Amino acid sequence: MAFISSGYNPDKPMENRISDIGPRHFSEFLPPVIKNNKGKWLWHEILEPGVLMHKAESGDEVYTVRVGSARLMGVETLREALDVADKHCDGYLRFTTRNNIEFMVDSKDKVQSLKDDLQSRKFPGGSYKFPVGGTGAGITNIVHTQGWVHCHTPATDASGTVKVVLDELFEEFQNMRMPAPLRISMACCLNMCGAVHCSDIAILGYHRKPPVIDHEEVDNLCEIPLAVASCPTAAIRPSKTTIKDSRTGEEKSVKTVAIKNERCMFCGNCYTMCPALPLTDAEGDGLVIMAGGKVSNRISNPEFSKVIVAFIPNETPRWPQLAKVMRQLVDAYVNNARKYERFGQWAERIGWERFFEITGLEFTHHLIDDFRDPAYYTWRQTTNFKF
Amino acid sequence: MPKHETPLLDQLESGPWPSFVDDLKRQAESRHQKQNEIEYQIPVDVVDDLLGLLELSYKEGEVHWKHGGIVGVFGYGGGVIGRYCDQPKEFPGVAHFHTIRVNQPAAKYYKTDFLRQLCDLWDFRGSGLTNMHGSTGDIVLLGTRTEQLEEIFYELTHNMNNDLGGSGSNLRTPEACLGESRCQYACYDSQELCYQLTMEYQDELHRPAFPYKFKFKFDACPNGCVAAIARADLSFIGTWRDDIRIDQEAVAAYVGGELKPNAGAHAGKDWGPFDINKEVIDLCPTECMSMENGKLVINNRECTRCMHCINTMPRALRIGNDRGLSILCGAKAPILDGAQMSSLLVPFVKVEEPYDEIKEVIENIWDWWMEEGKNRERLGETMKRQGFQKLLEVTGIKAMPQHVQEPRHNPYIFWKEEEVPGGFDRDIKDYRLRHPK
Amino acid sequence: MGGALEKTGGEMEKEAAKQEILNFLESKSGSKTKFYFNDFTKLFPDMKARDVKKALSELVQEEKMMYWSSGSTTLYGLKGSGKKEED
């Protein structure tokens, strides 16, 4: 493995340096039928799950075949998607915000062979590489974060939980039988890199134990003032303690931190600043389920998701309790909501007391807000409730 | 033979949804197969070791990554996230495993030759693993070693004419919905505005000087396909202020059942024949629609442009012609005091080059937030702490009822001295003339 | 001409600011090595935040200072300072 230089000279980092050039202009990458009709589209129709047709003023039509993908993708699979685009779509494709891939063709007679090609490609384990679907009143791809694959503060794995849920709900990805779109999102700790707080259903990794302090290493690895400042609830303060040196066995006094456990909200920000404060813990870590949020302004205002399941353990590799809860939620929604009602609108119409009855979820004290001022506005200040 | 046994991960190969485990194994195998053709610049078995490490996390239920501290390439304060594995002896291939964020083209259209070039570069100098795309919108390249960072940046800028994205206390990589490129609902060119502001603020994107992260997102209509209202410190959401265009013949065709409602989005279930009263007129949140003599009538002055009727009958109803965008600000995820959505600041602005009106709002907000924002405080929190009035003051925008859901619940108005006739300074002697002790 | 003079004045002000930043970092180096952007604006109550940023960016270009990132937030410090656990 010999080092091969790109041309970069480490002794003169500014030599021939190109910076601040931004991304490529999108117009370089638009398929001709898109470029020619930009800003002149008349209407669209979903011809079947996963296949859209957009009609332009010029009479041109573009047919889009949407497929799901695992967000974590090697270049081998990515190249395979490019092969499909070269073969059927003149070398163009696009990705959606929710990690779907869209293949576009400019006439209807090109759709079937494209679709068949995509559906026929499978991994050795039997899963689809490019399942067609994800349109209309159904489930589309789950947006998610890194999890155990690449993050340092996750309370669960993102790719695994998403795979399990989409396996369980796969027929909904290829169907459009729901009252409205159901958007599911996943974030692997409460920092929510994937902003899941306005999703119909959100799966959220959650720690339940404060960091464990490696007193021997705190002062070696970390700047204590930064660790103290990193805590959003001011639960960390500088401190001193006596420890036994792990090598010499001698007692010594060290600078460290002390943590007020009852103030800890388990965010992991201190671990980011100080690797001597880990909080990952097999028994402590697991999942929270939230529901009833949305971002669209359609019919009613955008809304936040609410916590409806306080804890599900990390039962690797297939999280059976998670899959079961997701199935319960989807079935209850499909069978009870009215046409056009998003998940949260349905829950609000029937009342949350009825929601827990219909879904079969247990309501526990953990689901009553007790965090600062906004909590009050979630309690019930009326006699209008159902038995 | 795989380098590490992965009995737990193997159970994620079955089922219909694309298996990331099969994908990782494919990538691992390909590196071994091609090692005589490609002079890999990081360990050949990087993906094998990632699988091994991930299997360990699945076995123990705990994570094995540490944060890095590396920020970017020389002169940049963002674009790279440092990662180190806490088991480097067991899994040397992923001892360093840094992420690179590459600024994606607006709305993520590509030509395959561009992505092939990127695949070759990343295969050669990194793990070959990607996210297409990360949550913010960047192309995410997962896993390389420190000494490759400058090399990758050099090739990216010199050979591919593309820059890194943002991380840390920067302007983060802006993102737009596909807008006018393929959507009849687009009220402005979200891709173009996204590109132009990304270019205008390259310094803010690469060289951090903000209290915390700052996000722009561009939704071309109120349907909100990139979730601007929930995710962005500044949300640019398309809207119009004249009348919805009506094609009465198409309305009749929907009523008569000749056209599929909702563009076919509900086709998977038999919901019965389309009922325009029940499905459109009665669901209109402002009750501004009616049928009169077989014609659809909209009282546009009362319409709040929620998109429901247009989404339901896209061939009959179209957005108005006097288009622009609304600017809302302050969205964030829950930490610390709870999630916030963006609040309406500018109800309407035309989207016209060189976008001076929009830039003025942005820069006034930044000047205030850079001055007053506490460390790690998002714009929405500064707004909450200092009040919406302060935001109006720094942006020079006059208060209007559109700014609130409802007027305040308490009378604790902090009147300013200049707002009260005669000011606050009074002479006690003067008072005593009227009120002797 | 006035513009050129102003620019020179600005340059001098910036050079002085850069030195003050370095002095500040040296004085703190015993206890703390990483600082938020706001810690620097406090040193220059009369300067615009954007001008403070220009001074910092130049110090990074001159390889006297460096960035440190938590991923979500970025801090500044003297080049080569601070505790590192990795290689």
Side-chain angles (χ1 to χ4, degrees), chain A residues 28-50:
Chain A
E28 294 178 55
F29 299 138
L30 298 178
V33 61
I34 295 288
K35 204 170 194 168
N36 296 340
N37 296 289
K38 186 163 180 275
K40 300 201 163 60
W41 296 100
L42 279 177
W43 49 268
H44 78 284
E45 195 171 312
I46 305 170
L47 303 178
E48 56 181 289

Side-chain angles (χ1 to χ4, degrees), chain B residues 413-424:
Chain B
I413 301 165
F414 289 96
W415 292 97
K416 287 184 188 148
E417 188 168 9
E418 63 269 23
E419 289 181 307
V420 187
F424 289 173

